[in-house]
Structures are given as C-alpha cells and as structure tokens.
C-alpha cells in the first residue's frame, strides 16, 4: 500500500519510529522538540519552496525546522521569548514569523537576519496573532485577554486600529477577506477585512460550553464562507456565515470515549485544521487522538489510535501532503496527572490520500 518512504505521494512510514504508545501511528518524529507542551504551530506558506515548521511552547521557546521530503527534520534555529508562547504566524512571503506571548508582546522574527523585534503590545497576554494580506494593505491582527483586537502596520509602535471585544479573546482565524474571533462568554465575532476591518456579525456560539479553537473554511470556489468551532465538551460546530439553508449549520460530537459504568468520557477539542486542497478537516483532542472528517458528507474519514498524552495542536503544510500534530500534557486532568518524565513530541504524517473527500455517488 505504501511505496517509497517519503512525505507526499503514496508515501510510507518506514523511518525510525518510537515504541508505542508514544507513537502508535508510526509517524515521523520531529527532532529536538520543545522542553514543554507545544502551544502554537504553523507550516511555512506556499511562497517558500521548502517546508519549514515553526512551533512555540509553554517553555517560552520558538523553534524552526526544515522538513525534508524523506520525513527527516533539521533543526534550524531557536528563540526565547519573555513568557510562554501562545500563538505563531508567518508573513505571507515566508520571510518573517510573528510570535505572541504571555509577556503581552508580539515579536517579529526576521529569519534571514535572525533578528527579533517587538511589533505589538497589549495590556494582558496576547492569545492570537494572524497576518492579514489584503488587496490594499497588509497588517498583523492580535487578540488579547485585555478584551481588544488590534491591527498593526508593524513599522509603527501604535496600532492602525483597535476594536473592543465583548470579552477576552480565546481563539481566532483569518482567511482574507474574513476574520473570526471567539471570546470568553461564548461570543463569536466575524469581521470583513476589505478596505479596513469592520464587524460583519456577532453571534452567540452554537456550542453550550467554552470554545477553544476556530478555523475558517472555504467553498468550492475557494472563497472563505464559514468556520468550524471546537469546544471543551468534545464537540465541533460547522457554521456558515450566510447559510443558504439553516440546516447547513450543524454540530458533531468527537473526542469522546466510553468510560466506566456506562458513562462517556468527554474531552476538549484542542485544535481544528482544514486541508488546503481537499477542504476536509482534522480535529485533535485531549483524548490523545486525531480524527479526519468530511464535513460535506458529514462522515469521519479516519481516527487515530490514542497517544499516551493529549494532542494539543495540528496543522497541514501548504500543499496538503503533511499533517503535523503535537503530543504533550495540557493540564486537562489537573496537576496530579503532570508527569515531568514524559516528553513533548511533534509527529509528521503523510496525509494527502487519507483526507480525500468521500466519493459522492
């Protein structure tokens, strides 16, 4: 079934793999992972020929690796921030990485010069940062626990714009011309970014429990058209911004398992990523599994075996050949389950075939 041992194509997993249950899916292990759980991770944009992976961690570090077709990873560089890293994003040309931290700052890491400079500031930890590549402007969007959303030119110390949020920013996503922000108190705000950022809609979350992650999806014409929202109660909502039919919006359960005496164990959805080519999606959770889904056919395409710790983040590379996911403790079971002996892992999986949508008859 699997031929050459490479990432992409009809690939294989032969490489050196750890013993289960650390790596039950026998995926490629990234070398020199962070010392603590990964809190943010992104692949380089399609503008770069090579694949680079950036990961930020609760150990306040940001690391960069080059990912080769063989599945081998080469550590390129590491930077240390003034506090735990809460988000990372790439500039569209792949020359810079922005790093949001609990130290209330966003730093810009220029990869060519290897210099780091501060480009944004809030009054509380910054939970999200996203690069906005508009038709007539580019900027950095930051969302903070200080209940503001700010837009930065990055060359000037003051923001171009600051928007008051109803509550603390918990999650956000940008796919120009759309931005979506999820806050505490189960608020979801949708912004149109054309010309300048303006609020398009404010909604109450369709999920009863706190949301943790949001990801924008596109329609068949590659236009951003809706979002998937994941909550701490093992559930994802698929929401269209302007549904043609109200039944287009739905929620589904995930990251749950049958516990003892007939009860169900319910885990948080920690991250959601849409496949850049197929438009299918991956979810990862505190149950230590990843799952692939086809939202249009409303079916699950694949579920992984359970890792021995939570999966905290996931992402696809630009051409959709590689799925990356991070394994580490997320404090979902409290301090008594924290085992400092267990390390953090980042795994890479060849995924293009597994994420193909269900064939429609």
């Amino acid at each position: 079934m699997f031929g050459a041992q490479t990432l992409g194509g009809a690939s294989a997993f032969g490489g050196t793999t750890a013993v289960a249950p650390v790596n039950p899916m026998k995926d490629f292990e990234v070398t020199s992972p962070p010392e603590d759980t990964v809190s943010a991770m992104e692949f380089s944009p399609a503008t770069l020929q090579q694949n680079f992976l950036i990961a930020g961690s609760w150990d306040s570090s940001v690391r960069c690796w080059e990912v080769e077709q063989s599945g081998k990873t080469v550590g390129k560089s590491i930077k240390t921030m003034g506090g735990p890293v809460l988000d990372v994003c790439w500039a569209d040309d792949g020359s810079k990485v922005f790093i949001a931290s609990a130290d209330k700052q966003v730093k810009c890491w220029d990869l060519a010069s290897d210099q780091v400079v501060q480009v944004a500031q809030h009054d509380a930890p910054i939970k999200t940062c996203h690069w906005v590549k508009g038709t007539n402007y580019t900027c950095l969007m930051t969302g903070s626990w200080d209940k503001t959303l700010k837009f930065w030119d990055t060359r000037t110390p003051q923001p171009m714009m600051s928007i008051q949020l109803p509550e603390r920013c918990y999650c956000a996503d940008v796919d120009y011309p759309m931005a979506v922000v999820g806050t505490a108190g189960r608020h979801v705000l949708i912004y149109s970014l054309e010309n300048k950022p303006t609020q398009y809609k404010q909604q109450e979350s369709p999920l009863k429990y706190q949301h943790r992650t949001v990801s924008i999806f596109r329609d068949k014409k590659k236009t951003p058209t809706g979002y998937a929202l994941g909550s701490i109660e093992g559930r994802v909502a698929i929401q269209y911004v302007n549904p043609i039919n109200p039944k287009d919006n739905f929620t589904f359960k995930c990251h749950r398992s049958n516990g003892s005496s007939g009860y169900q164990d319910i885990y948080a959805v920690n991250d959601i990523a849409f496949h850049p080519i197929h438009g299918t999606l991956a979810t990862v959770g505190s149950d230590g599994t990843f799952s692939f889904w086809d939202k249009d056919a409303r079916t699950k395409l694949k579920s992984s075996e359970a890792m021995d710790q939570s999966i905290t983040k996931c992402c696809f590379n630009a051409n959709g050949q590689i799925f990356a996911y991070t394994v580490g403790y997320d404090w979902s079971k409290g301090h008594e389950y924290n085992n400092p002996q267990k390390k953090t892992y980042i795994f890479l999986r060849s995924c293009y075939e597994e994420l193909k949508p269900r064939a429609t008859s």
Side-chain angles (χ1 to χ4, degrees), residues 49-178:
Q49 281 190 310
Q50 312 100 304
N51 285 301
F52 293 98
L53 183 66
I54 293 275
S57 163
W58 287 95
D59 68 4
S60 304
S61 77
V62 184
R63 286 168 165 81
C64 177
W65 298 263
E66 183 173 353
V67 179
E68 298 176 358
Q69 278 303 112
S70 62
K72 186 178 154 214
T73 43
V74 181
K76 287 292 186 187
S77 191
I78 176 169
K79 290 284 178 244
T80 305
M81 300 296 120
V85 175
L86 301 182
D87 204 7
V88 295
C89 71
W90 287 81
D92 61 282
D93 64 359
S95 66
K96 300 180 188 71
V97 170
F98 298 94
I99 304 143
S101 168
D103 69 0
K104 311 176 191 173
Q105 298 177 1
V106 176
K107 303 259 175 57
C108 173
W109 179 9
D110 185 302
L111 297 170
S113 67
D114 207 30
Q115 297 301 302
V116 175
V117 293
Q118 182 186 332
V119 291
Q121 175 84 42
H122 279 264
D123 297 330
I126 302 174
K127 184 66 174 69
T128 66
C129 64
H130 290 84
W131 185 249
V132 177
K133 168 118 175 75
T135 42
N136 58 347
Y137 71 98
T138 55
C139 71
L140 181 72
M141 182 183 98
T142 57
S144 166
W145 293 342
D146 69 7
K147 306 183 186 177
T148 64
L149 187 67
K150 293 183 179 179
F151 296 84
W152 308 82
D153 174 293
T154 73
R155 293 167 299 189
T156 53
Q158 295 304 317
M160 296 158 45
M161 189 173 186
S162 182
I163 295 175
Q164 195 64 38
L165 296 171
E167 249 292 0
R168 288 153 295 170
C169 176
Y170 278 171
C171 53
D173 195 19
V174 167
D175 187 2
Y176 187 85
M178 177 176 161

Side-chain angles (χ1 to χ4, degrees), residues 3 7 13 69 76 81 102 115 144 184 201 224 229 238 246 265 284 318 348:
L7 282 164
F13 314 110
Q69 278 303 112
K76 287 292 186 187
M81 300 296 120
Q115 297 301 302
S144 166
K201 209 177 249 193
L229 190 67
I238 300 292
D265 291 333
V284 301
L348 305 176

Side-chain angles (χ1 to χ4, degrees), residues 1-6 9-13 349-350 353-354:
M1 182 175 164
F2 291 109
Q5 295 174 12
T6 57
S11 97
F13 314 110
R349 180 177 186 83
S350 183
E353 293 301 317
E354 291 180 335

